[in-house]
Amino acid sequence: MPKKVILDVDTGIDDAVAILLAVHSPELEVLGIGTVHGNTTADVAAANTLRVLKAAGRLDIPVATGATRPLNQPLATSPLVHGEDGLGNLNLPHPQAAPSGEHAVDQIIRLAEAHPGEITLIATAPLTNLALALALEPRLSERIAEVVIMGGSAFYGGNLSAWAEANIGHDPEAAAAVFQAGWPVTMIGLDVTMQAWFTREMHAALGASPKPGAALAYEALRHYLDFYERFYGQGGCAQHDALAVAYAIDPSLVTTALLPVRIETRGEATRGMTVVDRRAFLADRAPFLFPDRNDWHTRVALAVDSERFLNLLMERLT
Ligand code: BDR
Ligand code: CA
């Protein structure tokens, strides 16, 4: 039986790759996709998601537009990283398909109620939709089997700022609510996503593949690779969001430890930081040592089998 998943995305070049990995993987059944502000606006992210699904031949999957701005700070998008259109300035034609009309928050609540205990929620974007869903439906945390988040960092530092990873930094209050909700969260952060390097050779192989969606990913990734080369000074790029999907497909790709995580919402230079309590005696033991704490529900990814992850990604996309 495939694992039932909902994706929450801000498509976004690496989100596009993650969506393709999900829809091309028989281990997963994508019940719906919600979009949110982040790399681009929630509306553009919805149109981009439809473009990706159209290219993959999967317009049967409903796309719901979600939160248009963060809970407690102004909207900020990332055109430098993802292009003005969120997909590497390809300026693709209108997808000739529309979002479902349901709000992404309502979609999460409805699907969780219809499939209690069965759904894995994979968020590769700011956590505004998840926080709003928790606020609207207090039983949500009991109905979702697992939350997999691409976001945060334990040791690596940030990318949006010195200590904030983008998906957390784009809405720290939402992230705080999601990490404290008591449901099982796995944090796929920069510690692991920056270890699995997608090379220019892999990019070329994508460009040569006739598989549905491969050409779109290839074209959009050109911009992302150029950004990485300019900012990180080396060829290749991370595939942040696809690693969260890959973890849902095969958890053995990533090594995790159960650690307490708090989200910094007030720090002057650290707002949006995931403060992972890395004291060695805590790993996997916090629930036992501090039964009254509510912040130990996070499995923090600390190592990744990069080769197996990238092989899986290439096998499914090409
Ligand atoms: C995350 O931020 C976004 O730019 C990417 O799509 C990814 O979800 C990486 O920090
Ligand atoms: Ca993303």
Side-chain angles (χ1 to χ4, degrees), residues 8-16 38-39 78 81-82 123-126 150-152 158-160 164-168 170 188-190 193-194 224 228 232 238-242:
D8 205 76
V9 297
D10 57 344
T11 319
I13 297 171
D14 62 325
D15 299 82
N39 295 328
S78 303
V81 186
H82 295 271
T124 65
M150 188 285 125
N159 56 4
L160 187 68
E165 182 280 330
N167 289 339
I168 308 299
H170 276 141
I188 305 291
L190 299 177
T193 64
M194 290 300 284
Y224 204 56
Y228 265 82
Y232 293 89
Q239 291 289 359
H240 304 285
D241 293 346

Side-chain angles (χ1 to χ4, degrees), residues 100-119:
S100 63
E102 187 177 31
H103 194 284
V105 170
D106 295 327
Q107 178 172 262
I108 292 172
I109 293 171
R110 178 179 57 78
L111 289 171
E113 194 176 350
H115 307 276
E118 289 183 55
I119 290 180

Side-chain angles (χ1 to χ4, degrees), residues 11-263:
T11 319
I13 297 171
D14 62 325
D15 299 82
V17 173
I19 293 165
L20 289 172
L21 175 60
V23 302
H24 287 325
S25 292
E27 298 88 347
L28 305 182
E29 180 188 357
V30 183
L31 300 182
I33 304 181
T35 72
V36 67
H37 68 89
N39 295 328
T40 182
T41 65
D43 286 331
V44 172
N48 286 346
T49 301
L50 290 165
R51 289 181 172 104
V52 174
L53 291 178
K54 187 177 182 190
R58 289 303 309 273
L59 277 175
D60 56 296
I61 298 172
V63 175
T65 311
T68 55
R69 59 179 173 83
L71 298 181
N72 194 29
Q73 66 187 28
L75 172 69
T77 58
S78 303
L80 186 69
V81 186
H82 295 271
E84 295 295 332
D85 64 350
L87 280 181
N89 294 326
L90 296 180
N91 295 310
L92 294 169
H94 189 275
Q96 305 296 344
S100 63
E102 187 177 31
H103 194 284
V105 170
D106 295 327
Q107 178 172 262
I108 292 172
I109 293 171
R110 178 179 57 78
L111 289 171
E113 194 176 350
H115 307 276
E118 289 183 55
I119 290 180
T120 299
L121 195 44
I122 306 176
T124 65
L127 298 171
T128 321
N129 287 337
L130 276 63
L132 291 172
L134 284 166
L136 273 173
E137 176 47 89
R139 285 161 298 188
L140 184 69
S141 61
E142 292 149 32
R143 292 181 179 160
I144 292 289
E146 186 181 12
V147 185
V148 181
I149 293 169
M150 188 285 125
S153 141
F155 295 91
Y156 180 87
N159 56 4
L160 187 68
S161 71
W163 274 104
E165 182 280 330
N167 289 339
I168 308 299
H170 276 141
D171 195 343
E173 279 74 17
V178 169
F179 276 79
Q180 279 167 33
W183 49 7
V185 171
T186 299
M187 178 179 120
I188 305 291
L190 299 177
D191 307 280
V192 282
T193 64
M194 290 300 284
Q195 299 306 319
W197 213 239
F198 180 85
T199 63
R200 286 207 179 259
E201 289 70 35
M202 293 171 192
H203 184 237
L206 202 53
S209 169
K211 186 135 178 183
L216 188 153
Y218 171 78
E219 293 298 340
L221 278 164
R222 284 175 194 272
H223 178 93
Y224 204 56
L225 285 161
D226 288 347
F227 166 81
Y228 265 82
E229 190 136 356
R230 214 148 42 97
F231 278 76
Y232 293 89
Q234 75 185 98
C237 65
Q239 291 289 359
H240 304 285
D241 293 346
L243 185 54
V245 172
Y247 173 80
I249 295 170
D250 179 359
S252 77
L253 292 171
V254 169
T255 308
T256 61
L258 203 54
L259 287 166
V261 180
R262 300 280 295 272
I263 309 299

